[in-house]
Amino acid sequence: MSRAADEQLQAAEKFARPAYRWLGERRLVKNLQGREITNVAGGIGFRVYNYGYEKRLRIRLLVERQDGASECYLTDCYYCGEWEKDWEKWQTHRLPLFPFESCHGPAVRISFSYTVGDGARILPSAHGYHFATLQDFHKGYLEVNRLEARHVEEAIIFPDAGRLGTALQKINRENQLAGIKPYFTRGNIQRWEHPVHEIHRCIDRVIEQTRKQPYRPHHIHLAMFDFDNEHIANHLIYAYENGVDVECIGDWAQVSPMNDSEHIARMRRVGIPVYGVVRNTPGVPADGIASMHTKFIVFDGEVVHSSSYNLHFHLWGGNWENALFCYSRDFAQLYEGIYGAIRDGHVPVVRINPEERYNLYYSFGTYLARDERFGPQDAIITEIDRARQSILVCMFSLSYLRGKSMFTGRETDVVSALIAARDRGVRVQIILNGMIARVGPIPEPWDWNKELERPLSDPVRQLREAWMEVVCVYYPWSIYSPVHHKFAVFDEKVVITESYNWYEASTQSDEVLSVLRDRRIAREFMEEAALILRTFRCVTG
């Protein structure tokens, strides 16, 4: 490492220093397999120099386990007071501390490093710092004087927003939407058109390119809420063992002992990095459902897969969902920018025109339209306000998500915007997951009377009371519903889709949302909605 680079590397410690750490209460929680495991509250505090308004401080928590595997979690710190002149106190209490039970055995040692950032760059800490050992968790407290450091070498990351803007402009200038192919699961993983088969084909293509061009790096980057799938795990391990750089990001609860998954454990054991992003407080359900909820894979900078589904078809193969496969380096570059933002904590800044053929939004990105911030929730409200003939919504769930319309300049929520669209003469059809559209205890799968007696959620009730066309979809044979889509079609020519649910938690979660102006793509999504209405039990009253 050059001296200049080493001096820059030291800058993280110049801007922020670990100051304290703590362990809190011990509690038993149930993991996704229904087993009770031990969760310990805890946190880390920093002394941070007040170097600017756009400060960001992110922790990388490394949990070294008994079998030699390591778990890595990414969590952001928050401002919590003044320290002294020019210095502030920042901390996090969102640490996934599960010291005893795991597929990898108990935790041997827990340490952390961190990054500081502003609008231009991300600087990693020059050292990693001790947090706790297994003995500390047995004692129930931490020794005050044991915050020692060890050297860590990491690359300095400089986000290149200009390249993202150039890729977006090129997509629109060359009308690359012809390179996008929608796929639909339709509840049957055996169908040859099922998107999981294209995922495997893309992994094979990267392996083939690695064999043909061993002199250059090849990679697969996966950022998905839940990827606990045996066949995908086997294929990614095979790719890794054949020279492909494989890296995965998931929601912390899906890649921690909260999901006791042997498939993800095997990926870690062979050396595949698996990061868990923390957006809520482990062990505290009242903290909300914010999560790392994106569902995309970038294959070698050439192809992107992005979907409404998670890769757990072995568990929920009956869901009806959708995916976009984008065959273009420019699309791949946009998603790589989001992948880097999720992993490293920087905020991509891109200038956009909301009326272009294509725009891609990340919930924590900064998108400037006419020098004003314009987020995914604003894009949803804008398209609802722009519609003149028809709006078709097919959604797992919706609530009072708020945004500002670029078209009218007003701020409103999606429920009010849909009702207003109907009032101005637009036909609005809303297809929802029937079981999620209702609240209260869920009855037995065959008990239709009790299911239909459950009250509708407030937003769905408001839509119904406004005489909106709302269809609640169920399987014909049970009260469960196959609908996990997150798409809308406007005037039969504009599609909004990907991981973004139309409710408030999406603004606090890692999400992606695409707006595509293409009649071919719109027609395929409309056909999907029509097929759902022909196939399943639909309740309109």
mmCIF file of all heavy atoms in Angstrom, residues 146-163:
data_model
loop_
_atom_site.group_PDB
_atom_site.id
_atom_site.type_symbol
_atom_site.label_atom_id
_atom_site.label_comp_id
_atom_site.label_asym_id
_atom_site.label_seq_id
_atom_site.Cartn_x
_atom_site.Cartn_y
_atom_site.Cartn_z
ATOM 1 N N ARG A 146 -10.885 -2.967 27.340
ATOM 2 C CA ARG A 146 -10.455 -3.949 26.339
ATOM 3 C C ARG A 146 -10.865 -3.577 24.917
ATOM 4 O O ARG A 146 -11.118 -4.426 24.094
ATOM 5 C CB ARG A 146 -11.006 -5.327 26.682
ATOM 6 C CG ARG A 146 -10.343 -5.953 27.899
ATOM 7 C CD ARG A 146 -10.517 -7.454 27.877
ATOM 8 N NE ARG A 146 -9.903 -8.053 26.705
ATOM 9 C CZ ARG A 146 -10.325 -9.200 26.154
ATOM 10 N NH1 ARG A 146 -11.372 -9.830 26.662
ATOM 11 N NH2 ARG A 146 -9.715 -9.701 25.110
ATOM 12 N N LEU A 147 -10.938 -2.292 24.604
ATOM 13 C CA LEU A 147 -11.307 -1.858 23.256
ATOM 14 C C LEU A 147 -10.046 -1.750 22.402
ATOM 15 O O LEU A 147 -9.755 -0.734 21.796
ATOM 16 C CB LEU A 147 -12.034 -0.506 23.322
ATOM 17 C CG LEU A 147 -12.827 -0.077 22.091
ATOM 18 C CD1 LEU A 147 -13.987 -1.025 21.830
ATOM 19 C CD2 LEU A 147 -13.358 1.330 22.266
ATOM 20 N N GLU A 148 -9.247 -2.828 22.366
ATOM 21 C CA GLU A 148 -7.996 -2.780 21.624
ATOM 22 C C GLU A 148 -8.250 -2.927 20.129
ATOM 23 O O GLU A 148 -9.301 -3.394 19.696
ATOM 24 C CB GLU A 148 -7.033 -3.884 22.092
ATOM 25 C CG GLU A 148 -7.359 -5.283 21.592
ATOM 26 C CD GLU A 148 -8.312 -6.037 22.486
ATOM 27 O OE1 GLU A 148 -8.880 -5.426 23.399
ATOM 28 O OE2 GLU A 148 -8.487 -7.243 22.246
ATOM 29 N N ALA A 149 -7.246 -2.518 19.339
ATOM 30 C CA ALA A 149 -7.387 -2.515 17.877
ATOM 31 C C ALA A 149 -6.442 -3.520 17.253
ATOM 32 O O ALA A 149 -5.428 -3.904 17.827
ATOM 33 C CB ALA A 149 -7.089 -1.122 17.331
ATOM 34 N N ARG A 150 -6.778 -3.951 16.044
ATOM 35 C CA ARG A 150 -5.876 -4.759 15.230
ATOM 36 C C ARG A 150 -5.943 -4.220 13.807
ATOM 37 O O ARG A 150 -6.963 -3.683 13.379
ATOM 38 C CB ARG A 150 -6.266 -6.243 15.253
ATOM 39 C CG ARG A 150 -7.661 -6.534 14.772
ATOM 40 C CD ARG A 150 -8.060 -7.975 15.043
ATOM 41 N NE ARG A 150 -9.443 -8.224 14.678
ATOM 42 C CZ ARG A 150 -9.868 -8.565 13.464
ATOM 43 N NH1 ARG A 150 -9.002 -8.691 12.477
ATOM 44 N NH2 ARG A 150 -11.141 -8.771 13.216
ATOM 45 N N HIS A 151 -4.845 -4.358 13.064
ATOM 46 C CA HIS A 151 -4.778 -3.719 11.748
ATOM 47 C C HIS A 151 -5.683 -4.427 10.741
ATOM 48 O O HIS A 151 -5.782 -5.641 10.707
ATOM 49 C CB HIS A 151 -3.345 -3.724 11.233
ATOM 50 C CG HIS A 151 -3.177 -2.900 9.998
ATOM 51 N ND1 HIS A 151 -3.296 -1.522 10.012
ATOM 52 C CD2 HIS A 151 -2.937 -3.251 8.712
ATOM 53 C CE1 HIS A 151 -3.101 -1.067 8.780
ATOM 54 N NE2 HIS A 151 -2.885 -2.097 7.982
ATOM 55 N N VAL A 152 -6.356 -3.622 9.919
ATOM 56 C CA VAL A 152 -7.208 -4.124 8.846
ATOM 57 C C VAL A 152 -6.875 -3.344 7.592
ATOM 58 O O VAL A 152 -6.695 -2.129 7.642
ATOM 59 C CB VAL A 152 -8.713 -3.929 9.184
ATOM 60 C CG1 VAL A 152 -9.585 -4.309 8.000
ATOM 61 C CG2 VAL A 152 -9.098 -4.771 10.389
ATOM 62 N N GLU A 153 -6.762 -4.041 6.487
ATOM 63 C CA GLU A 153 -6.551 -3.357 5.210
ATOM 64 C C GLU A 153 -7.786 -3.535 4.350
ATOM 65 O O GLU A 153 -8.185 -4.655 4.042
ATOM 66 C CB GLU A 153 -5.314 -3.910 4.483
ATOM 67 C CG GLU A 153 -4.003 -3.532 5.149
ATOM 68 C CD GLU A 153 -2.816 -3.877 4.271
ATOM 69 O OE1 GLU A 153 -3.034 -4.348 3.134
ATOM 70 O OE2 GLU A 153 -1.684 -3.682 4.711
ATOM 71 N N GLU A 154 -8.399 -2.417 3.982
ATOM 72 C CA GLU A 154 -9.556 -2.437 3.105
ATOM 73 C C GLU A 154 -9.382 -1.363 2.050
ATOM 74 O O GLU A 154 -8.726 -0.350 2.275
ATOM 75 C CB GLU A 154 -10.851 -2.154 3.894
ATOM 76 C CG GLU A 154 -11.209 -3.234 4.906
ATOM 77 C CD GLU A 154 -12.579 -2.961 5.505
ATOM 78 O OE1 GLU A 154 -13.549 -2.829 4.741
ATOM 79 O OE2 GLU A 154 -12.661 -2.859 6.727
ATOM 80 N N ALA A 155 -9.998 -1.575 0.925
ATOM 81 C CA ALA A 155 -9.922 -0.576 -0.137
ATOM 82 C C ALA A 155 -10.758 0.644 0.226
ATOM 83 O O ALA A 155 -11.765 0.542 0.909
ATOM 84 C CB ALA A 155 -10.422 -1.172 -1.453
ATOM 85 N N ILE A 156 -10.324 1.803 -0.218
ATOM 86 C CA ILE A 156 -11.123 3.017 -0.078
ATOM 87 C C ILE A 156 -12.107 3.053 -1.241
ATOM 88 O O ILE A 156 -11.740 2.818 -2.392
ATOM 89 C CB ILE A 156 -10.228 4.266 -0.094
ATOM 90 C CG1 ILE A 156 -9.237 4.206 1.079
ATOM 91 C CG2 ILE A 156 -11.061 5.529 -0.018
ATOM 92 C CD1 ILE A 156 -8.230 5.319 1.076
ATOM 93 N N ILE A 157 -13.343 3.336 -0.932
ATOM 94 C CA ILE A 157 -14.392 3.281 -1.947
ATOM 95 C C ILE A 157 -14.795 4.699 -2.314
ATOM 96 O O ILE A 157 -15.161 5.483 -1.437
ATOM 97 C CB ILE A 157 -15.613 2.505 -1.430
ATOM 98 C CG1 ILE A 157 -15.176 1.090 -1.003
ATOM 99 C CG2 ILE A 157 -16.719 2.434 -2.463
ATOM 100 C CD1 ILE A 157 -15.815 0.615 0.251
ATOM 101 N N PHE A 158 -14.731 5.036 -3.579
ATOM 102 C CA PHE A 158 -15.173 6.335 -4.048
ATOM 103 C C PHE A 158 -16.363 6.128 -4.981
ATOM 104 O O PHE A 158 -16.206 5.707 -6.126
ATOM 105 C CB PHE A 158 -14.053 7.069 -4.795
ATOM 106 C CG PHE A 158 -12.918 7.467 -3.910
ATOM 107 C CD1 PHE A 158 -11.843 6.630 -3.725
ATOM 108 C CD2 PHE A 158 -12.939 8.677 -3.243
ATOM 109 C CE1 PHE A 158 -10.795 6.982 -2.897
ATOM 110 C CE2 PHE A 158 -11.896 9.040 -2.415
ATOM 111 C CZ PHE A 158 -10.814 8.194 -2.244
ATOM 112 N N PRO A 159 -17.590 6.392 -4.529
ATOM 113 C CA PRO A 159 -18.756 6.229 -5.395
ATOM 114 C C PRO A 159 -18.646 7.116 -6.630
ATOM 115 O O PRO A 159 -18.271 8.280 -6.530
ATOM 116 C CB PRO A 159 -19.920 6.682 -4.506
ATOM 117 C CG PRO A 159 -19.404 6.584 -3.115
ATOM 118 C CD PRO A 159 -17.935 6.863 -3.186
ATOM 119 N N ASP A 160 -18.956 6.565 -7.776
ATOM 120 C CA ASP A 160 -18.877 7.299 -9.034
ATOM 121 C C ASP A 160 -20.291 7.547 -9.544
ATOM 122 O O ASP A 160 -20.829 6.766 -10.327
ATOM 123 C CB ASP A 160 -18.062 6.502 -10.058
ATOM 124 C CG ASP A 160 -17.753 7.333 -11.304
ATOM 125 O OD1 ASP A 160 -18.364 8.408 -11.456
ATOM 126 O OD2 ASP A 160 -16.919 6.914 -12.106
ATOM 127 N N ALA A 161 -20.909 8.636 -9.064
ATOM 128 C CA ALA A 161 -22.281 8.939 -9.466
ATOM 129 C C ALA A 161 -22.362 9.286 -10.949
ATOM 130 O O ALA A 161 -23.373 9.030 -11.597
ATOM 131 C CB ALA A 161 -22.828 10.086 -8.619
ATOM 132 N N GLY A 162 -21.284 9.856 -11.493
ATOM 133 C CA GLY A 162 -21.307 10.237 -12.911
ATOM 134 C C GLY A 162 -21.508 9.044 -13.826
ATOM 135 O O GLY A 162 -22.239 9.126 -14.812
ATOM 136 N N ARG A 163 -20.886 7.928 -13.498
ATOM 137 C CA ARG A 163 -21.036 6.722 -14.322
ATOM 138 C C ARG A 163 -22.467 6.194 -14.266
ATOM 139 O O ARG A 163 -22.982 5.686 -15.256
ATOM 140 C CB ARG A 163 -20.053 5.657 -13.860
ATOM 141 C CG ARG A 163 -18.600 6.006 -14.117
ATOM 142 C CD ARG A 163 -17.673 4.938 -13.577
ATOM 143 N NE ARG A 163 -17.895 3.648 -14.209
ATOM 144 C CZ ARG A 163 -17.355 2.509 -13.798
ATOM 145 N NH1 ARG A 163 -16.564 2.517 -12.748
ATOM 146 N NH2 ARG A 163 -17.591 1.380 -14.423
#
